[in-house]
Amino acid sequence: MKRRSFIQKSALSTGALTMASTMTYANTLTNTTNAHQFNLKYAPHIGMFKHLAGDDLIAQLNFMADQGFTAFEDNEMRKRPIEVQEKMADTMKKRGLEMGVFVAHEIYWKTANLTSGDLDKRKEFLNDIKSSIEVAKRVNAKWMTVVPGHLDLKLRIGHQTANVVESLKQASALLEPHGIVMVLEPLNFRNHPGLFLTDSPQAYEICKAVNSPSCKILFDIYHQQIQEGNLIPNMEAAWSEIAYIQIGDNPGRKEPTTGEINYNNVFKWIHEQGFNGVLGMEHGNSRDGKEGELAVIEAYKKVDDFL
């Protein structure tokens, strides 16, 4: 074991957590001075630690912070009641949790919307962006996820791209005054067949065309391992436009160490680039219950041990 890893061992080790998990969350560890110190801002999501922390959203946020996580993401934040958003934001501020992405708009998984050039669908998208700006300000979020939707099979790809770029330019004009960034997420063909945006070079081209600080790339390592592989060189090629990263091993879309991706090397490279953004833990747990949740925490300690 590396000396640094040994020094960082704390009462939040697997054994201590296993004992603590038999109690209610109110009686578990609350002393953050012994929290693990991660090199990168890994961001769990609601439900990832529900067996250890309980169902209460605030208890889950506190549990994340107690383990040393310094960020959090929530795809469903836009749909949560305002009073819940405010309570979560207050907890994140108190516990030093940086807000990651939430989904900014209604995603069209089966039919064309932004690709079609339909002005009503563009208006709907822009209205969603306007409402999401208010959510972002409420929860102190800098990033929001945008997925351009399904291909329009009646249009050539060049026309679809132009339609998407125009919609994103108009959305960027709404976001720029607030310093908020929409991050475009390419999705793989296997889990999401028929979508317009699939590859990181395609996302890079679109961001360059939009030419706005409010339009960048969400590089989901799970999706891009399936879609294109060659992870580090592809991230390097698009690095100037990547603002947010998400995580998941392949196959299975579970925590790092459960699949084929060498996350220790990938995270080491990301750290060497001076990346100060959030890495969303958008994956499931490979095992059920408290044991599986402890395994997720230990997996991140392992792959984060690259210095």
Side-chain angles (χ1 to χ4, degrees):
M1 179 182 295
K2 295 182 181 178
R3 182 174 182 274
R4 180 176 181 277
S5 297
F6 179 80
I7 292 171
Q8 290 177 335
K9 284 287 186 179
S10 69
L12 296 180
S13 63
T14 302
L17 275 171
T18 303
M19 294 177 62
S21 65
T22 62
M23 301 180 289
T24 63
Y25 182 76
N27 295 322
T28 59
L29 299 174
T30 56
N31 184 356
T32 61
T33 58
N34 288 326
H36 187 82
Q37 294 182 16
F38 291 101
N39 293 303
L40 294 168
K41 297 177 184 177
Y42 308 112
H45 55 80
I46 290 296
M48 180 164 272
F49 303 123
K50 64 182 180 181
H51 292 96
L52 289 170
D55 291 328
D56 181 72
L57 302 183
I58 303 306
Q60 291 187 37
L61 290 176
N62 279 314
F63 182 85
M64 294 171 195
D66 286 345
Q67 311 320 305
F69 294 108
T70 56
F72 158 77
E73 68 175 18
D74 182 17
N75 282 340
E76 301 302 316
M77 184 64 83
R78 183 172 71 99
K79 298 179 181 179
R80 298 192 188 280
I82 290 176
E83 60 270 21
V84 173
Q85 294 174 10
E86 291 174 342
K87 192 172 182 180
M88 292 174 75
D90 183 60
T91 304
M92 285 187 282
K93 182 178 180 180
K94 290 177 179 177
R95 298 306 311 272
L97 288 169
E98 186 172 354
M99 181 66 203
V101 291
F102 64 92
V103 176
H105 64 109
E106 188 69 29
I107 299 175
Y108 280 65
W109 298 106
K110 299 296 183 181
T111 58
N113 63 324
L114 299 188
T115 55
S116 69
D118 183 289
L119 295 183
D120 288 335
K121 288 186 172 63
R122 178 178 292 165
K123 182 178 179 180
E124 175 191 297
F125 169 70
L126 295 174
N127 284 336
D128 281 349
I129 294 296
K130 290 175 184 176
S131 64
S132 288
I133 288 171
E134 297 308 309
V135 175
K137 291 193 292 186
R138 195 174 296 124
V139 300
N140 196 29
K142 182 178 179 181
W143 305 279
M144 56 177 69
T145 304
V146 166
V147 176
H150 203 274
L151 287 163
D152 189 326
L153 301 180
K154 297 180 180 180
L155 290 177
R156 300 291 290 271
I157 193 67
H159 293 122
Q160 295 184 66
T161 300
N163 291 335
V164 169
V165 167
E166 179 57 31
S167 291
L168 297 178
K169 282 184 175 180
Q170 293 187 31
S172 294
L174 298 172
L175 294 165
E176 285 179 14
H178 305 281
I180 299 171
V181 182
M182 60 179 167
V183 284
L184 312 182
E185 183 177 12
L187 302 173
N188 79 76
F189 72 96
R190 189 178 68 193
N191 294 115
H192 303 288
L195 292 190
F196 167 77
L197 185 60
T198 58
D199 303 323
S200 61
Q202 180 191 14
Y204 179 83
E205 179 182 26
I206 289 170
C207 287
K208 288 295 186 182
V210 175
N211 191 28
S212 168
S214 287
C215 183
K216 297 295 179 182
I217 298 171
L218 189 171
F219 193 102
D220 188 310
I221 296 171
Y222 165 75
H223 285 301
Q224 294 317 304
Q225 172 69 358
I226 295 170
Q227 188 68 29
E228 58 191 26
N230 202 31
L231 290 170
I232 291 176
N234 283 336
M235 279 193 287
E236 185 174 26
W239 190 248
S240 65
E241 300 302 316
I242 294 174
Y244 199 94
I245 295 169
Q246 285 183 327
I247 304 161
D249 217 335
N250 182 62
R253 200 174 189 178
K254 306 301 182 184
E255 71 269 16
T257 74
T258 58
E260 65 187 355
I261 301 174
N262 187 338
Y263 265 107
N264 188 266
N265 277 350
V266 172
F267 289 155
K268 181 176 184 289
W269 182 86
I270 291 170
H271 184 269
E272 288 172 347
Q273 310 317 301
F275 185 71
N276 194 40
V278 171
L279 297 95
M281 297 159 59
E282 197 182 39
H283 56 74
N285 300 353
S286 62
R287 287 181 276 172
D288 293 332
K290 296 176 182 178
E291 180 184 349
E293 294 173 7
L294 292 171
V296 169
I297 296 169
E298 291 305 310
Y300 275 90
K301 291 180 182 179
K302 181 177 180 180
V303 295
D304 186 68
D305 189 17
F306 49 72
L307 293 182

